[in-house]
Amino acid sequence: MLASRYYMPTLREAPADAEIPSHRLLLRGGFIRPLAAGIFTFLPLGLRVLSKVERVVREEMNRAGAHEVLMPVLHPKELWERSGRWDTFAPTPLRVQDRSERWYCLGPTHEEVITDLVAADLGSYRDLPVTLYQIQVKFRDEIRPRGGLIRCKEFIMKDAYSFGRSREDLDVAYDAMFDGYVRIFERLGLPVVVVEAEAGSIGGTDTREFMLLSENGEDTVFMCDSCDYASNAECATARPPGAEEPGEGPRELVATPNAKTVEQVTGLLGVGADRLVKTLVYRAGERFVAALVRGDRSLNEFKLARVARGDLRMAEDVEVQELTGARVGFAGPVGLPDGVTIIADHEIAAMRDFVTGANADDAHFTGVNVGVDFEVDEWADLRAACHGDACAQCETGTLQARRCIELAHVFKLGTTYSEALNATFTDGEGREQAAVMGCYGVGVSRIVAALVEQYHDDAGITWPRAAAPFEVAILLLSPDDEELRAIADNLYADLLAAGIEVLYDERDASPGVKFAEADLIGYPVRAVIGRKTREEGLIELRRRADGAEQLVESAAAVAAVQALLEQA
Ligand SMILES: [Zn+2]
């Protein structure tokens, strides 16, 4: 590609709202341009990178035996009503109406569409197993899109769906996708960590996420510093402390006027937050649930939802008042009405003589003990894990919180969607069965940002070869010098003939501009035709990633470039 004829507008400075390196460098290097918050155009350089990522993903999906399709962006409301997700999917999908006032959503995910598609053609067990995938635009109504390509309203995903006859078929398809993902990230040079995760709005089990550790990520994983335990923040579990000696009590009612928060109560009573038990009131379907965690901990609602069963929501203030007879802020486990399920975090088993709300306005109890003052219906891991917690999997390690970027996930869905949308087949004995499904997503456009987060320095991007927009840049420093231009033209032709992707910068610009722009855009190898070429007939080669330099004769340049690229 001749730079003089290419559309590659770079920026001297990134806009102030571009806070992380990938956002800044992709804007400055002329890879992307924003249309609105969280909505981007891919410019030619950016599209080349995106296409390379897509190609790696596509090759690995095909290798894993999946077949590519392309499904619509517009999904009719009726279809999402059949799965029950039109009103429940979170965040609510972007919705549009056509001129006949029919509703559609812009697909945030494609379980409904693919299951409906396969249902129409599925007959006998001989049609299964099958895995289909697509690389398609997705929409998410983010409240605050940020981080450039990391969290967008509109983005590109690869999503795959497997349909099998049995759990065994599902396991095989899941493993094939898992292995495919490992290969994708290896080929792209992204050292991912695979962690346990929650399925969220998609549903399912055996959920795993592929995370890139990155200080600019907006997700958190907890990793043990001693064993291989790794989990996302929603699922991470800490080892509960051993039981203490029984408490002494006695329970006493103390006045705590207007002290509703943990800080206010513990401040007033002169105790640490780790001596207080917080009582959080929820509704699980028709039942009330009182969830207990230590005062200095956060309740993890995903964990509570798993043990509470039934649709979980926080109780309204009026419900709390009616149930406890006290204003919000004074609820406690002692003397709650029958029928309230008390679920306590494991850590509370090791607490004694603690403080709780008294279910009376402006009052708390001190000297409270489990088994003496109240009984726990169910013990569970309810609290959010913290940096430095003891690892639950090994004896010695502690959990380290690390920032990360989620790049992919895999779920075992089971038959939820195939039952709702009639994706059934006739088994060997003539019985009707629901197909057993899995789903597997990769954030393709997000990978572009992740690559830049992983591969950049002060001067710009240091693309790995597998994702670089061009493999080599030829910088012709004196375009008016006909002798030099002839050498550069020849090198350009020879590199193209060798199948190498070349950006030939023959523009009428200063050497400084060309060097800076080549570093910013991040071609893995740079070939300079300049003073050394005129004086000594040598071409300067430089590898972007590590600065390795070489001076070569023109005749040896192609081979030398290839050798440098081998290690790029
Ligand atoms: Zn461990």
Side-chain angles (χ1 to χ4, degrees), residues 206-226:
D206 274 343
T207 301
R208 295 286 182 278
E209 288 169 345
F210 291 69
M211 302 289 207
L212 176 71
L213 298 180
S214 165
E215 59 190 23
N216 295 310
E218 50 178 25
D219 287 309
T220 302
V221 287
F222 287 89
M223 300 174 68
C224 178
D225 60 8
S226 168

Side-chain angles (χ1 to χ4, degrees), residues 224 226-227 229 391 393-394 397:
C224 178
S226 168
C227 72
Y229 180 78
C391 173
Q393 184 172 286
C394 71

Side-chain angles (χ1 to χ4, degrees), residues 223-289:
M223 300 174 68
C224 178
D225 60 8
S226 168
C227 72
D228 64 355
Y229 180 78
S231 172
N232 79 1
E234 288 160 2
C235 298
T237 301
R239 178 152 42 92
E244 282 211 20
E245 294 294 299
E248 291 162 5
R251 183 176 89 226
E252 281 181 43
L253 187 70
V254 295
T256 52
N258 291 320
K260 292 197 263 186
T261 66
V262 171
E263 294 72 33
Q264 289 165 342
V265 175
T266 54
L268 193 68
L269 299 178
V271 297
D274 59 348
R275 298 291 311 281
L276 180 139
V277 167
K278 279 194 286 202
T279 304
L280 300 145
V281 183
Y282 282 81
R283 288 293 293 263
E286 292 302 301
R287 283 180 308 134
F288 279 103
V289 170

Side-chain angles (χ1 to χ4, degrees), residues 138-265:
K138 295 267 191 284
F139 298 87
R140 264 178 90 95
D141 195 2
E142 295 289 350
I143 294 170
R144 192 173 157 262
R146 58 193 177 277
L149 295 181
I150 290 192
R151 187 161 290 276
C152 302
K153 275 185 188 290
E154 180 180 325
F155 52 95
I156 296 167
M157 268 191 76
K158 186 286 300 178
D159 45 331
Y161 306 87
S162 67
F163 295 81
R165 298 157 296 190
S166 60
R167 291 301 297 192
E168 290 69 40
D169 277 358
L170 171 58
D171 291 344
V172 171
Y174 179 97
D175 290 347
M177 284 293 125
F178 194 104
D179 294 346
Y181 283 15
V182 169
R183 291 182 54 89
I184 287 168
F185 294 119
E186 262 175 23
R187 287 180 60 181
L188 291 172
L190 289 171
V192 291
V193 179
V194 183
V195 305
E196 283 180 42
E198 277 291 334
S201 278
I202 309 286
T205 57
D206 274 343
T207 301
R208 295 286 182 278
E209 288 169 345
F210 291 69
M211 302 289 207
L212 176 71
L213 298 180
S214 165
E215 59 190 23
N216 295 310
E218 50 178 25
D219 287 309
T220 302
V221 287
F222 287 89
M223 300 174 68
C224 178
D225 60 8
S226 168
C227 72
D228 64 355
Y229 180 78
S231 172
N232 79 1
E234 288 160 2
C235 298
T237 301
R239 178 152 42 92
E244 282 211 20
E245 294 294 299
E248 291 162 5
R251 183 176 89 226
E252 281 181 43
L253 187 70
V254 295
T256 52
N258 291 320
K260 292 197 263 186
T261 66
V262 171
E263 294 72 33
Q264 289 165 342
V265 175

Side-chain angles (χ1 to χ4, degrees), residues 332-343:
V334 182
L336 281 174
D338 286 346
V340 178
T341 307
I342 298 181
I343 306 178

Side-chain angles (χ1 to χ4, degrees), residues 3 25 58 61 68 95 125 148-149 166 187 255 272 274 296 298 302 378 397 400 412 414 484 486 493 510 527 532 544:
L25 294 171
R58 187 172 277 119
M61 288 297 100
E68 187 169 8
R95 294 167 175 182
Y125 64 94
L149 295 181
S166 60
R187 287 180 60 181
D274 59 348
D296 55 341
S298 309
F302 289 101
E378 197 167 345
Q400 310 294 312
K412 291 183 178 173
L484 290 186
S510 76
K532 283 245 168 48
R544 176 72 179 89

Side-chain angles (χ1 to χ4, degrees), residues 27-56:
L27 287 171
R28 282 189 54 213
F31 292 87
I32 58 170
R33 285 292 177 265
L35 174 65
I39 307 174
F40 291 93
T41 296
F42 280 84
L43 299 180
L45 282 175
L47 187 59
R48 286 183 72 94
V49 175
L50 183 73
S51 302
K52 289 196 171 181
V53 173
E54 283 185 8
R55 189 168 74 205
V56 169

